[in-house]
Structures are given as C-alpha cells and as structure tokens.
C-alpha cells in the first residue's frame, strides 16, 4: 500500500487565517491559528500490517477578546461553512 502525502502550502494556510480574521468584529481582538499536515495510523496484528490510514488535515483555532470577555472556538475544516460556524 502506498500513501500519498501532499505538502502543506503556507500560502493556503495564510489565506484561511485572513478569511477568519475578516469576519472578526472591528471592536474585538483576535488570535487565529491555522495548522495543516498529515496524520497517519498503522495497526498491526500478528506482526503484519492489517490497516493503514493516512489523511491530510487542516485545523483552525480562534480566540476572540471583546468587552472584557474571551471566547475560543475550533474547526477541523477550512471551508466557509466551518469558518462561519466559529462565530
């Protein structure tokens, strides 16, 4: 079994961060962290690989401070619906 991994494009991650920050109200302070990479899992049984799974992942973490309060939210997708759900 071969696993194809794509290289994380930093420009793509910056673009996602910009899309998130564009939705932050102007009277709030925000911190956004967007990470991307690969996750893989291999299971063995009787000394043989019986399951191998790999996936490219993107995650968004958002922290917003407004009116003396701080809120955090995370998303495991980077599409517009997932970004909207952060707010």
């Amino acid at each position: 079994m071969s696993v194809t991994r794509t290289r994380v494009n930093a420009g793509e991650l910056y673009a996602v961060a910009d899309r998130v920050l564009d939705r932050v109200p102007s009277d709030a302070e925000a911190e956004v962290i967007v990470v991307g990479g690969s996750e893989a899992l291999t299971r063995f049984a009787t000394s043989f690989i019986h399951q191998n799974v790999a996936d490219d992942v993107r995650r968004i973490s958002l922290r917003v401070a407004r009116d003396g309060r701080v809120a955090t939210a995370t998303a495991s997708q980077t599409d517009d619906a997932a970004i909207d759900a952060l707010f």
Side-chain angles (χ1 to χ4, degrees):
M1 172 185 268
S2 65
V3 176
T4 304
R5 292 186 183 165
T6 57
R7 187 158 253 237
V8 174
N9 181 343
E12 175 190 334
L13 300 179
Y14 284 122
V16 171
D18 285 339
R19 287 177 27 224
V20 173
L21 290 173
D22 286 344
R23 290 170 169 83
V24 174
S26 60
D27 63 338
E29 295 181 30
E31 172 189 61
V32 62
I33 300 170
V34 183
V35 295
S38 297
E39 291 183 345
L41 168 74
T42 302
R43 292 186 179 175
F44 293 86
T46 62
S47 300
F48 292 99
I49 295 174
H50 77 93
Q51 183 180 23
N52 190 16
V53 179
D55 194 16
D56 290 325
V57 294
R58 304 285 186 268
R59 288 198 178 86
I60 302 170
S61 176
L62 174 65
R63 182 169 46 181
V64 177
R66 185 177 182 189
D67 298 328
R69 299 176 133 185
V70 177
T72 60
T74 59
S76 59
Q77 297 177 2
T78 58
D79 59 3
D80 287 333
I83 292 172
D84 289 340
L86 290 170
F87 295 92

